[in-house]
Structures are given as C-alpha cells and as structure tokens.
Amino acid sequence: MATTRISAQLPPNIDPTKAPLAYGDRAIPKLNRELQDEELITRQRALMTLCDHLHDPEHIVEALRLGVVESLKALLTDSDGTVRHKATEVLYIIAGHNVGRDAFLDYSIIPPLAKLFDDDLDIVRRNSHMAIEMVSEFAPGAEGVVQNNLIPILVEKLKSELDEIKEYILDTLHFCLRLDQEQALKAGAMEVFTQLLVHVSSIIRAKAARDIMDLSVPLDGKNRACSVNTLPALVTLLDDTDADVRAKAAGAIMTITITTEGKKTAISSGALPKLVQLVNDNCSEVRLNTIKAITTLSESPDGREELMKSVEDIKLRMSDDSAAVRKAAEIAVKVITWLP
C-alpha cells in the first residue's frame, strides 16, 4: 500500500555544492575544521562532502580519531535545519559500524540526538530515530537508550509520529525491551501497542505484535495484556493477509497464554479455531508460533478438549520441512493427548 514518505531533498534555497575534498590524509582534518566554521554555507558544504566520504569504513575510523563526532555533536543544536539534517545523516552512517556505535557511547551522543525527536523538520526526526535504532541493535547501545530513560519518550512518540518514523521507534523499543520491560509498562506501552494492531500498515501491525510479545515476557506484561484487551486484537490478526503479521500475532498469543488468565481470555476470544487453521500455513514461522500457542492453550482442560478434535492435523506437522516445526508438533501432540 502506498504511503507518504519523508523526503530527503534539500530545501530549494540551499546550495547543494559540496566542499572540495583535500588530498589524502588532509581530507578529514580540513572537513572537521569546516564543520566548526562560522560561515553557514561552509558548514553545509562540509557536511555534504562528509556524507559521501564516510561511506568508506576506513574513513570512519580516521574521522573518529580526529574528533569529527564531537564536531557533529555540536552541530545537532545548530539553528539551521539543513545542518541538523545532514549532521544526523552523517551520524546515522557512523552508527552503521561497530566503531561508530562505540563512539556514540564514548561521546554521549544519544541524549542530544534524542532531543531532536521534537525537531520541526520531519527529516531530522527520521534521521535521529534511524541513528538511535541502529545503535540500539547492539546490547551496549540498547543499554544507553534505557539508561537515558528514553523508553517512555519513544512510547509517547508512537502516538503522534509519522508512520515511517513509527517503524523505527518500534524497532528501537524491540531491542530495548530485551533489557527492560518495566519502563515500558509504566509508560503504557501495552496500550499503545494494542492500538497499533489495527493500523493500516501491515509493517506496523507486525512490529506492534512483536513488541507485545517482548513486553509480555514478564508476568506483569502478561497480566497487562489481559487487562487491556490485547488478546482479542491479536486473535483478529490471525486472519491477516500478511504472513509476518500472523506469525507475530501467534507468537504474542503464545507468550501471553502461559498464564491461566491468558488461556481463559484467548479461548473466550475464539483463538483456538483460528490457530488450528494456521497449522498448515505456508509460512514456517506462522506454523511454528501457532503450534507453540496451541501447546500452551492445550494445558487448559477446555483447550485440550477442543484441540482433541484437531490432533490429527497437528500430527501431520510432525513430518514438516522445518525441524523446529516438527519438534513443536511432537510436543503439542504429547500435551494434547496427555492423560492423568
């Protein structure tokens, strides 16, 4: 489905000319000086050149050694929108490399970058979220996001940001929720994620369901999912036309229904018939998560009684092409057919 995308085009009144690149090892020192120049056009041109020059990882190492990150950090508060636009773009490029992600922590780039979540320019906000998401993909970076108490801010931004940016926020939260679910629960993340399950974008629906699964790992998360009617919305997504949405919805149901209350809520919401239909889904991830969800629900007497009617269908998955699905099917059949 077509959606509006944030344009990375420069404003029509901005000179797109790049700064001349000095020869050899003089290039980055010259650009670093120009980043600190009082002339606006000089800073803009230096950033244009730097965006291209740092696509080479060797240049990133040299740039970090010569203090370019400190110069970029200062430019995050520049009054010119184009400077902030290109500065955040360069930081995103740097964040794509391990040495660059380390620099984000060494130079405390996360807090000033997070302040740009409120920037007036869409492209600046997008670049900032892209850079933060990239950094959060490795554990120390996610810890940095959590320690700076950004989870409540990110959850709040999900309510108002553009859809393109919401995708990056959901990814960032996915990595952070592996470390800390308490901040997110206190910030009302379960409620926000549940609202996004009916979003027009299948990408956002899938990412919201995935984040619900992350948030439901602790008992408090499972209980919150039951209390805010998350399960009925997830059950509805089992009919989604997008395989990734179905897979993530089944995974979230699997996680929540470990508790007795979760089982009761899922069964009363009509989860079992829909899960049984997905046992033969074309997507292996859907089949795997579905069979695991069926296993947890079969631990309930009501669930086991209903699933006994479909146990033969589940047995067929014991010869599935996927080893993980075969193993899950074996366990499911044992649980369903268990007798005291």
Side-chain angles (χ1 to χ4, degrees):
M1 181 175 180
T3 57
T4 302
R5 308 301 288 183
I6 297 171
S7 174
Q9 292 294 321
L10 297 172
N13 61 324
I14 297 299
D15 181 358
T17 306
K18 299 174 185 177
L21 193 61
Y23 181 75
D25 58 6
R26 300 179 186 177
I28 292 181
K30 178 176 180 290
L31 287 174
N32 195 28
R33 290 194 300 272
E34 291 172 342
L35 291 177
Q36 304 168 41
D37 198 281
E38 293 183 0
E39 281 289 330
L40 174 60
I41 188 64
T42 302
R43 299 197 300 276
Q44 290 175 342
R45 287 175 174 173
L47 285 165
M48 306 284 181
T49 302
L50 201 59
C51 280
D52 290 340
H53 195 60
L54 293 189
H55 280 291
D56 186 330
E58 292 183 4
H59 296 160
I60 289 180
V61 173
E62 183 183 3
L64 296 178
R65 180 174 60 83
L66 295 173
V68 168
V69 169
E70 292 180 273
S71 300
L72 291 169
K73 181 179 179 180
L75 292 179
L76 293 178
T77 57
D78 198 283
S79 60
D80 181 69
T82 300
V83 169
R84 299 194 306 277
H85 166 188
K86 301 308 288 187
T88 51
E89 183 177 336
V90 175
L91 285 171
Y92 169 65
I93 294 170
I94 291 174
H97 302 269
N98 283 333
V99 66
R101 291 190 283 268
D102 290 338
F104 265 64
L105 302 178
D106 294 339
Y107 293 96
S108 300
I109 298 297
I110 291 176
L113 197 57
K115 289 182 180 179
L116 294 180
F117 291 170
D118 295 318
D119 199 273
D120 293 335
L121 296 178
D122 296 344
I123 187 64
V124 174
R125 299 199 310 278
R126 189 197 71 172
N127 288 347
S128 300
H129 280 290
M130 287 171 63
I132 293 292
E133 186 275 334
M134 185 68 74
V135 169
S136 69
E137 288 187 16
F138 81 126
E143 288 176 5
V145 174
V146 172
Q147 290 170 1
N148 280 282
N149 298 311
L150 294 186
I151 289 181
I153 295 173
L154 291 168
V155 170
E156 188 64 27
K157 289 298 178 184
L158 280 175
K159 300 177 183 178
S160 59
E161 260 300 359
L162 300 173
D163 289 349
E164 183 178 349
I165 296 176
K166 283 179 182 176
E167 294 177 17
Y168 295 109
I169 295 175
L170 287 167
D171 284 341
T172 301
L173 287 170
H174 167 58
F175 297 116
C176 293
L177 288 174
R178 295 176 178 178
L179 303 176
D180 188 312
Q181 299 90 23
E182 186 177 350
Q183 279 191 44
L185 286 169
K186 289 181 178 178
M190 187 65 77
E191 292 87 337
V192 175
F193 294 158
T194 301
Q195 292 170 4
L196 291 177
L197 293 178
V198 295
H199 197 279
V200 66
S201 167
S202 61
I203 296 175
I204 290 178
R205 293 198 301 274
K207 291 180 185 292
R210 177 201 59 192
D211 286 8
I212 287 172
M213 180 164 48
D214 297 330
L215 192 55
S216 300
V217 171
L219 179 60
D220 287 345
K222 294 177 177 63
N223 292 337
R224 181 69 63 86
C226 293
S227 65
V228 301
N229 294 319
T230 301
L231 276 167
L234 289 169
V235 170
T236 300
L237 290 187
L238 295 176
D239 292 325
D240 201 278
T241 56
D242 188 280
D244 195 34
V245 174
R246 297 195 301 274
K248 298 304 188 291
I253 292 171
M254 167 193 69
T255 306
I256 297 168
T257 54
I258 291 175
T259 66
T260 301
E261 183 63 29
K263 289 179 176 63
K264 291 180 180 178
T265 304
I267 292 172
S268 64
S269 299
L272 284 176
K274 295 187 177 185
L275 287 169
V276 170
Q277 289 179 354
L278 293 181
V279 166
N280 298 313
D281 196 275
N282 292 329
C283 175
S284 62
E285 185 183 358
V286 174
R287 297 197 301 274
L288 177 62
N289 288 348
T290 293
I291 292 172
K292 287 184 175 181
I294 284 174
T295 303
T296 60
L297 290 172
S298 65
E299 294 171 354
S300 162
D302 292 340
R304 182 180 294 109
E305 182 180 355
E306 186 170 344
L307 287 167
M308 281 295 294
K309 306 170 187 176
S310 306
V311 72
E312 294 302 320
D313 291 332
I314 300 172
K315 283 182 178 180
L316 292 176
R317 292 298 100 206
M318 293 170 65
S319 58
D320 196 274
D321 294 337
S322 167
V325 173
R326 292 198 299 270
K327 182 65 175 178
E330 291 174 8
I331 295 172
V333 170
K334 287 180 181 178
V335 175
I336 295 170
T337 59
W338 176 83
L339 292 175

